[in-house]
Amino acid sequence: MQVKCTLCDRIDSLMDNSFQAKKLRNRRRYMYLCDNCYERIDNKTKQRHATGKFRLYKEKKREDDFI
Ligand SMILES: [Zn+2]
């Protein structure tokens, strides 16, 4: 089956019997992300978590005010 990446509109083809294809067929709202976008989001999430750990609450608040 062919799937379109939700973020960059790249078309990928999945094996019909793959885990992802089954997931997509079962849940209409499931967003497909291509490998590139998935990695990008994964890294961003990890980075956010990593920096969040070392930031004090007050510092975070101040940064938010600047933005
Ligand atoms: Zn993509």
Side-chain angles (χ1 to χ4, degrees), residues 5-10 32-38 40:
C5 171
T6 316
L7 290 184
C8 69
D9 287 351
R10 193 178 94 169
Y32 173 76
L33 296 180
C34 69
D35 289 345
N36 286 343
C37 292
Y38 182 82
R40 213 162 58 208

